[in-house]
């Protein structure tokens, strides 16, 4: 039989689309550590979590056992507006690199929010609506999550209050306007509208903000406002669960052509897109059915996996959220304002942190100029203008393909292309002007954050 020709884009038909999310925790022999109450340091109960999060999302957060979680019909209907997303064979990039490697990417940027975040936004908004809530609060860094959530809330007629990291609020006014167009209320963070915001402003006047600060503010408002809950765009296990749609579709598409990737690569901010992409493949590996090499790619300026500690930490700067056991730089860590490439969160999802800790996944950190070089090469040959976050994965996919060129190995590489970069042109401008600088924190700079972990009682031996 002659080798089957792989189309440039592989799509799934409607009846081939996943009907359930896949919960990789069910196949993990060692489960991720539970969230802890920040006052008692005991595992958070569903009741306690229910004060901050929607009920059904709490159930998903705590579910370590059910492998398949059916996707409600209303969410499937919404998914149909922009899914399935294609798996693309990067023929043009392969040719440019003169590599024998076969490169595929799963492209999640084909919706107005411009990223994978809509996959979880619609799920979280749906459960909030189902519970009869009036609205939700959240934080947004670069703005993709806030945009996705405002789209989902507009669709379901829910109020949406977004705390946007101040430097993004100022650098990305158009993102803000997209959110407002979808009806969201957008506040730059830290702000004077919350207790924690006022405290942070007093301690760090002139701060450009961080995701950790914005989370504290959004949680405070959610818990103090009737009919409101807080929702989060990454980091939590429920978000990783919703993002498993990426991996399930990718695997179904590759299976149609009997393609088995050797290496699966994704960028890692809070970990949800990478976790979602690798989930079904990781499940196979955990069940002993297939071997894969997984690579998480993070910015050198915010290296939670490669230079952080695996310990319990707060998910926010104000230390009001539950503690998660994760690879973290410390909740007080704020990346350099020079860093343009997103992925600014201090910690990493617990599932991914545990898998990394067990050696089932690798991690690399990359510098932003090399990330933008990869982005530019990719844009010029594949046509898509990639988000800087996504371009971390492109960087390592190119590096792996170039290794194949040296060794002559015909490896198959799959990477997650999480979104488009139309709102990141300020960063592209810096790169094009040759003004972009790399920033790698020194050990001394990381030390206070890492030391703060030792002060948390549950981390003491
Ligand atoms: C938010 C975002 C990321 C980071 O995703 P995580 O799931 O938090 O790791 C990556 N790429 C794009 C385009 C994003 O918007």
């Amino acid at each position: 039989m002659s080798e089957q020709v792989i189309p440039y884009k592989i799509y799934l038909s409607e009846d081939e689309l996943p009907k359930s999310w896949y919960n990789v925790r069910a196949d993990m022999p060692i489960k991720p550590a539970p969230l802890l109450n920040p006052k008692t340091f005991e595992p958070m109960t569903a009741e306690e979590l229910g004060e901050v999060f929607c009920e059904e999302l709490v159930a998903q957060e705590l579910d370590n056992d059910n492998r398949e979680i059916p996707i409600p019909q209303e969410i499937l209907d919404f998914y149909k507006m922009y899914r399935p997303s294609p798996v693309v064979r990067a023929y043009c990039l392969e040719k440019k690199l003169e590599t024998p490697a076969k490169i595929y990417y799963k492209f999640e940027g084909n919706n107005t929010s411009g990223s994978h975040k809509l996959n979880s936004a619609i799920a979280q908004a749906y459960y909030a609506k189902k519970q009869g809530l009036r609205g939700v609060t959240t934080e947004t860094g670069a703005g993709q999550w806030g945009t996705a959530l405002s789209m989902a809330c507009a669709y379901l007629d829910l109020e949406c209050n977004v705390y946007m990291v101040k430097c993004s609020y100022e650098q990305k006014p158009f993102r803000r306007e997209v959110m407002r167009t979808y009806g969201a209320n957008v506040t730059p963070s830290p702000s004077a509208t919350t207790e924690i915001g006022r405290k942070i402003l007093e301690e760090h006047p002139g701060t450009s903000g961080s995701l950790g600060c914005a989370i504290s503010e959004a949680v405070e408002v959610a818990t103090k406002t009737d009919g409101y809950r807080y929702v989060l765009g990454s980091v939590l296990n429920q978000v990783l669960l919703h993002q498993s749609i990426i991996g399930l579709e990718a695997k179904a598409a590759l299976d149609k052509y009997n393609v088995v990737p050797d290496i699966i690569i994704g960028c890692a901010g809070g970990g949800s897109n990478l976790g979602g992409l690798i989930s079904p493949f990781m499940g196979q590996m955990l069940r002993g059915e297939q071997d894969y090499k997984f690579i998480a790619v993070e910015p050198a300026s915010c290296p939670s996996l490669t230079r952080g500690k695996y310990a319990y930490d707060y998910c926010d700067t104000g230390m009001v959220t539950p503690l998660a056991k994760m690879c973290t730089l410390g909740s007080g860590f704020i990346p350099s304002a020079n860093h343009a490439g997103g992925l600014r969160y201090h910690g990493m999802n617990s599932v991914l942190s545990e898998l990394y800790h067990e050696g089932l996944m690798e991690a690399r950190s990359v510098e932003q100029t090399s990330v933008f070089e990869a982005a530019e090469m990719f844009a010029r040959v594949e046509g898509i203008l990639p988000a800087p976050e996504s371009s971390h994965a492109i960087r390592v996919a190119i590096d792996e393909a170039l290794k194949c060129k040296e060794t002559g190995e015909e490896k198959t590489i799959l990477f997650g292309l999480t979104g488009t970069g139309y709102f990141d042109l300020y960063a592209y401008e810096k790169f094009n002007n040759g003004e972009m600088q790399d920033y790698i924190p020194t050990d001394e700079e990381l030390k206070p954050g890492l030391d703060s972990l030792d002060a948390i009682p549950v981390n003491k031996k």
Side-chain angles (χ1 to χ4, degrees):
M1 212 176 79
S2 66
E3 206 179 317
Q4 206 172 2
V5 176
I6 311 283
Y8 182 77
K9 281 185 186 172
I10 310 175
Y11 276 107
L12 297 172
S13 62
E14 236 176 71
D15 56 314
E16 290 169 323
L17 295 180
K19 302 284 185 295
S20 299
W21 293 301
Y22 165 65
N23 181 7
V24 70
R25 284 168 281 164
D27 282 310
M28 288 170 72
I30 305 173
K31 306 298 179 194
L35 293 169
L36 300 184
N37 182 307
K39 294 203 181 84
T40 63
F41 299 105
E42 293 296 320
M44 290 289 285
T45 62
E47 204 185 339
E48 288 169 334
L49 285 168
E51 289 166 19
V52 181
F53 301 109
C54 309
E55 279 157 27
E56 291 221 29
L57 293 167
V58 169
Q60 292 178 359
E61 192 62 32
L62 298 176
D63 188 342
N64 284 341
D65 305 308
N66 289 302
R67 197 168 267 110
E68 314 252 312
I69 312 249
I71 307 174
Q73 188 59 45
E74 292 85 340
I75 299 176
L76 288 174
D77 290 343
F78 186 87
Y79 278 171
K80 277 181 201 157
M81 292 198 288
Y82 69 101
R83 308 201 69 80
S85 71
V87 168
V88 183
R89 172 78 183 267
Y91 281 115
C92 307
L93 181 62
E94 289 170 18
K95 194 167 156 218
K96 171 83 184 170
L97 296 171
E98 298 175 328
T99 174
K102 299 179 174 69
I103 308 174
Y104 294 84
Y105 57 90
K106 176 75 167 159
F107 180 47
E108 289 292 320
N110 261 337
N111 66 75
T112 299
S113 78
S115 82
H116 64 282
K117 296 209 172 64
L118 197 52
N119 301 333
S120 184
I122 185 60
Q124 297 192 47
Y126 168 80
Y127 291 117
K129 187 73 184 177
K130 198 174 160 212
Q131 194 174 323
L133 298 178
R134 191 152 59 89
V136 290
T137 68
T138 198
E139 76 298 327
T140 197
Q144 289 98 324
W145 167 245
T147 310
L149 188 69
S150 56
M151 287 173 72
C153 286
Y155 181 76
L156 294 169
D157 198 18
L158 270 176
E159 293 169 18
C160 182
N161 280 332
V162 181
Y163 282 85
M164 186 170 188
V165 177
K166 192 184 272 165
C167 63
S168 299
Y169 185 91
E170 285 159 4
Q171 283 180 10
K172 301 186 178 184
F174 295 147
R175 267 263 175 236
R176 185 176 77 211
E177 288 320 311
V178 180
M179 286 184 254
R180 292 178 56 200
T181 303
Y182 283 94
N185 189 1
V186 188
T187 310
S189 166
S191 76
T193 66
T194 63
E195 255 170 54
I196 188 72
R198 288 189 289 273
K199 184 159 171 264
I200 293 168
L201 283 173
E202 218 165 86
E203 285 168 13
H204 307 273
T207 174
S208 59
S210 73
L211 268 183
C213 299
I215 294 174
S216 304
E217 294 202 87
V219 170
E220 182 182 319
V221 173
T223 51
K224 286 184 178 166
T225 316
D226 244 11
Y228 265 72
R229 291 293 186 280
Y230 165 71
V231 296
L232 181 57
S234 186
V235 187
L236 295 172
N237 295 338
Q238 55 185 277
V239 186
L240 192 146
L241 172 73
H242 305 147
Q243 297 299 354
S244 69
I245 191 81
I246 304 172
L248 291 164
E249 280 183 10
K251 185 160 186 308
L254 294 177
D255 281 350
K256 272 171 83 155
Y257 292 90
N258 299 314
V259 174
V260 181
D262 298 295
I263 308 174
I264 304 178
I265 301 165
C267 64
S272 74
N273 87 80
L274 173 66
L277 173 67
I278 70 174
S279 273
F281 300 97
M282 181 62 82
Q284 282 185 301
M285 192 148 111
L286 291 167
R287 297 189 301 269
E289 297 164 9
Q290 184 78 44
D291 246 348
Y292 298 103
K293 173 161 149 169
F294 301 104
I295 309 176
V297 191
E298 59 184 12
S301 53
C302 191
S304 54
L305 288 166
T306 51
R307 294 174 71 195
K309 270 192 196 167
Y310 188 40
Y312 266 107
D313 193 13
Y314 299 90
C315 298
D316 66 324
T317 311
M319 305 184 184
V320 296
T321 60
L323 292 103
K325 189 170 179 193
M326 56 185 176
C327 296
T328 176
L329 296 165
S331 61
F333 180 80
I334 297 184
S336 154
N338 268 341
H339 172 62
L343 311 174
R344 297 170 66 90
Y345 190 63
H346 66 272
M348 188 60 60
N349 165 268
S350 294
V351 168
L352 284 188
S353 295
E354 176 59 32
L355 293 168
Y356 178 65
H357 182 68
E358 290 176 39
L360 294 164
M361 182 180 85
E362 298 175 19
R364 305 246 172 100
S365 73
V366 290
E367 292 168 31
Q368 63 179 353
T369 49
S370 78
V371 166
F372 277 81
E373 278 162 20
E376 186 188 81
M377 178 194 276
F378 182 84
R380 290 180 187 182
V381 294
E382 288 290 322
I384 295 170
L385 179 73
E389 294 91 339
S390 322
S391 305
H392 288 69
I394 299 175
R395 173 74 270 162
V396 171
I398 290 176
D399 291 346
E400 290 296 314
L402 290 174
K403 271 189 214 162
C404 290
K405 184 175 174 177
E406 268 172 37
T407 60
E409 285 174 293
E410 288 184 29
K411 288 197 175 148
T412 298
I413 298 168
L414 168 66
F415 73 88
L417 188 70
T418 49
T420 47
Y422 298 109
F423 290 105
D424 300 287
L425 292 169
Y426 179 77
Y428 274 98
E429 181 187 33
K430 271 195 162 174
F431 176 72
N432 290 331
N433 288 345
E435 292 160 358
M436 179 173 277
Q437 280 169 2
D438 290 323
Y439 187 78
I440 306 180
T442 62
D443 288 343
E444 288 69 43
E445 284 169 314
L446 292 183
K447 194 168 181 295
L450 297 175
D451 285 350
S452 74
L453 299 168
D454 298 334
I456 297 173
V458 277
N459 291 331
K460 288 185 183 148
K461 297 261 154 54

